[in-house]
Amino acid sequence: MKINVKVNGKKYERDVRENMTLLRFIREEIGLTGTKEGCGVGECGACTVILNGKTVNSCIVLAVEADGAVIETIEGEAKNGKMSKLQNSFHEHHAVQCGFCTPGMVLSAKTLLKENPKPSEHEIKEALEGNFCRCTGYQQIIEAIQDASGQMKK
Ligand code: FES
Ligand code: FES
């Protein structure tokens, strides 16, 4: 089946199998491998992308369901080789260790800050509920998001 999507501002038209996940489509058809595959069953958030403004676990969305959609992946964050404010903040707060969860964390945080520019710690934790990190213990990630939202005294 033919689908059309816009990923990070660029249009793609591809023939896909009906059972292909959006995750595989992004990684294998489009070649954007920043989106990670962890559990593959919708539980870890490593595969998070933004689909029409909302975060989704791309491992449990079919590519055909995304026909006509606007998709943002981690590759869309940096502009002209410069990291986004959120990416910088993750870097400064040592919120990245192995980095496997980071693309999903950054995109979940981005969606949160768009909807709620000054989230409380509790709201940050709620927004990250579906994103697992096995390395950082979460505190640095929370601080990175607080800092990116201008809520941290320096
Ligand atoms: S790989 Fe999609 S939620 Fe874990
Ligand atoms: S930095 Fe390793 S899983 Fe989060």
Side-chain angles (χ1 to χ4, degrees), residues 49-108:
V49 299
I50 303 176
L51 178 72
N52 293 330
K54 299 276 176 210
T55 51
V56 296
N57 290 326
S58 61
C59 69
I60 52 168
V61 175
L62 291 172
V64 292
E65 294 178 282
D67 186 26
V70 172
I71 297 165
E72 295 163 61
T73 72
I74 193 66
E75 286 87 350
E77 276 300 282
K79 301 275 184 268
N80 303 321
K82 282 206 166 142
M83 290 196 293
S84 68
K85 192 172 177 187
L86 255 176
Q87 286 176 310
N88 260 321
S89 196
F90 269 63
H91 176 64
E92 281 171 15
H93 287 272
H94 306 288
V96 181
Q97 288 186 22
C98 80
F100 199 78
C101 70
T102 311
M105 287 287 183
V106 168
L107 294 176
S108 288

Side-chain angles (χ1 to χ4, degrees), residues 85-93 95 105-106 108-110 112-113 116-128 138-154:
K85 192 172 177 187
L86 255 176
Q87 286 176 310
N88 260 321
S89 196
F90 269 63
H91 176 64
E92 281 171 15
H93 287 272
M105 287 287 183
V106 168
S108 288
K110 181 180 181 179
L112 168 67
L113 295 184
N116 179 2
K118 302 274 179 218
S120 65
E121 182 168 340
H122 178 71
E123 287 167 332
I124 294 173
K125 285 181 181 166
E126 266 186 355
L128 299 183
Y138 299 96
Q139 195 52 39
Q140 296 99 312
I141 294 173
I142 292 165
E143 286 169 11
I145 297 169
Q146 285 172 325
D147 197 3
S149 67
Q151 296 189 94
M152 192 169 270
K153 291 194 184 81
K154 301 240 176 176

Side-chain angles (χ1 to χ4, degrees), residues 23 36-47 57-59:
L23 172 62
K36 303 301 180 203
E37 178 162 17
C39 66
V41 292
E43 287 177 2
C44 75
C47 64
N57 290 326
S58 61
C59 69

